[in-house]
Amino acid sequence: MVGKIEESWQFETRLLNEGAYFNLETTHPEALPIHMSTAHNVNDLEDLQRRYDVSGYCYNRNRNPNRTALNELISCLEGGEASVSCSSGMAAISSAIITKTKAGDHILSDRTLYGESIEIFEDILKKYKVETSYADFTNLEDVKSKIQPNTVMLYTETVSNPLVEVPDLKAVADIAHENHAILIVDNTFMTGALVQPLKLGADIVVNSLTKFANGHSDAVCGAATGSAEMINKIHDLQVLIGSQSDPFSSWLICRGIRTLDLRIKKQSKNAEALAAALEKSPYVKKVNYPGLVSHKQHSTAEKEFGPYYGGILSFEIDEDREKMNLFLRSMNLAHYAMTLGGYRTTLSYPPLSSHENVPEEERLKMGITNGLLRVSVGIEEEEDIIHDFLNALEIAYGK
């Protein structure tokens, strides 16, 4: 019997077994425990079969209590039937795409995406004869014109990285479905707390939970959400390729999501205030933030998101590298980071980060200039953030 200790066991054997199981009731703890075990024991083959019958916990790569809890939480967040949690946002993206494509298929992707998403299309899927072409998803006629007979998937982001463009997701979903294709949407920048693309017609939503969902810059994780039928297929692939989220990261993400609604709404308000301040600065050429009336897709964003437009903005300044470096060094509150969505304000430089591997000619065609900086706005006090940016701009560009 599992858990029974024999008094006749030798010292070394007892060290391996004493304290291995809980002997008192442990149900309903206030905080979700972390289940780090790679396996769960059973008493006999009948007990094993019962576990299989209810999709219970046997081996960590297949299922884990913390991963199940996270899946349930993400399904609630995104308004889907089911979710699968992965080792990273890129694992979620690649698993969803691979599950829904085969040789000879065509993907129509938004032209401005996170750079490594483009690399999946160009460096991985091409090897397996899956073709990808690109359109401006804010131009519905461009999307329609690039649909092919073998198009099986349209892929976009709720808010594009790093230009912060906003496609009309309902209209794009209609185009996809009229052509017997599915729509996958990366909702990392907004999360289900601000918009649920599944309710606008998307078939699968992917998230890098590393970012705003977790919000504490201490865990790497991703998720895909959709119908139970679609997610079960992604789960089957996950079991085989081992892309599952680990128990501790799953626990951390669950903890982070508990405060997501509070955090991302303050981040949105701070981002809108910072965008408005930067737009007035004589040293800033352009500000990309959908909450600004000057943004090309403001009306679309207002329809899909309002009144909260997310915590991400980007802006262009003079490309002089010395001045850009001085600007970054003069920041006291916000600092450079190779991630986003945390509770503190951070910056990144897309030409050397998210789009480093995109050829410069292609990057410039996208509109990602050498003077573009992306900002992930935190939950600090609004006036402190604005002062930090305006002061650093004055130091670097005011001479």
Side-chain angles (χ1 to χ4, degrees), residues 25 43 65 98 186 328 352:
E25 186 174 323
N43 286 310
I98 292 170
D186 184 335
L328 291 170
L352 287 180

Side-chain angles (χ1 to χ4, degrees), residues 135-146:
D136 177 358
F137 272 45
T138 65
N139 182 341
L140 297 179
E141 294 306 312
D142 190 32
V143 175
K144 292 176 183 177
S145 71
K146 290 177 179 172

Side-chain angles (χ1 to χ4, degrees), residues 33-276:
I34 305 173
H35 295 262
M36 298 293 286
S37 179
T38 58
H40 288 71
N41 300 135
V42 296
N43 286 310
D44 55 26
L45 298 182
E46 292 302 317
D47 192 15
L48 177 62
Q49 187 61 55
R50 280 192 293 271
R51 294 278 182 92
Y52 289 160
D53 291 343
V54 298
S55 298
Y57 304 112
C58 295
Y59 181 53
N60 183 42
R61 179 159 52 84
N62 296 65
R63 289 178 183 84
N64 169 271
N66 294 106
R67 197 154 60 245
T68 297
L70 180 56
N71 290 340
E72 292 171 354
L73 185 53
I74 295 299
S75 296
C76 170
L77 176 64
E78 290 294 345
E81 287 183 358
S83 296
V84 59
S85 301
C86 302
S87 55
S88 67
M90 288 307 300
I93 290 168
S94 57
S95 296
I97 293 170
I98 292 170
T99 300
K100 301 303 296 182
T101 53
K102 64 182 185 307
D105 286 343
H106 171 255
I107 298 170
L108 181 60
S109 169
D110 203 338
R111 65 177 183 175
T112 54
L113 295 176
Y114 177 55
E116 290 184 353
S117 297
I118 295 174
E119 288 182 52
I120 290 289
F121 296 134
E122 295 299 317
D123 298 342
I124 305 298
L125 294 181
K126 265 188 179 178
K127 294 180 182 179
Y128 301 99
K129 303 190 184 305
V130 176
E131 177 192 359
T132 303
S133 55
Y134 302 88
D136 177 358
F137 272 45
T138 65
N139 182 341
L140 297 179
E141 294 306 312
D142 190 32
V143 175
K144 292 176 183 177
S145 71
K146 290 177 179 172
I147 296 283
Q148 299 179 12
N150 60 334
T151 301
V152 299
M153 178 189 301
L154 274 65
Y155 185 95
T156 189
E157 296 167 338
T158 315
V159 174
S160 71
N161 183 3
L163 295 177
V164 202
E165 295 177 331
V166 183
D168 185 330
L169 294 180
K170 177 65 170 63
V172 172
D174 288 344
I175 294 171
H177 298 153
E178 287 165 5
N179 290 276
H180 310 290
I182 67 168
L183 173 63
I184 297 182
V185 177
D186 184 335
N187 198 30
T188 297
F189 279 10
M190 299 301 286
T191 79
L194 299 185
V195 63
Q196 294 178 327
L198 293 172
K199 293 184 178 179
L200 297 174
D203 299 282
I204 298 175
V205 169
V206 293
N207 276 283
S208 173
L209 303 177
T210 310
K211 312 300 193 301
F212 286 101
N214 179 45
H216 290 74
S217 304
D218 56 9
V220 176
C221 198
T225 306
S227 69
E229 180 183 3
M230 287 189 178
I231 296 305
N232 286 340
K233 291 178 181 178
I234 297 175
H235 175 261
D236 290 344
L237 175 66
Q238 179 186 73
V239 171
L240 294 175
I241 65 176
S243 64
Q244 71 283 340
S245 60
D246 68 89
F248 188 40
S249 295
S250 300
W251 183 88
L252 285 170
I253 302 296
C254 282
R255 176 218 56 183
I257 291 176
R258 305 303 179 192
T259 60
L260 169 61
D261 193 61
L262 297 172
R263 287 185 286 104
I264 201 164
K265 287 178 179 176
K266 182 167 185 180
Q267 287 168 306
S268 296
K269 290 181 178 179
N270 284 348
E272 188 164 2
L274 177 60

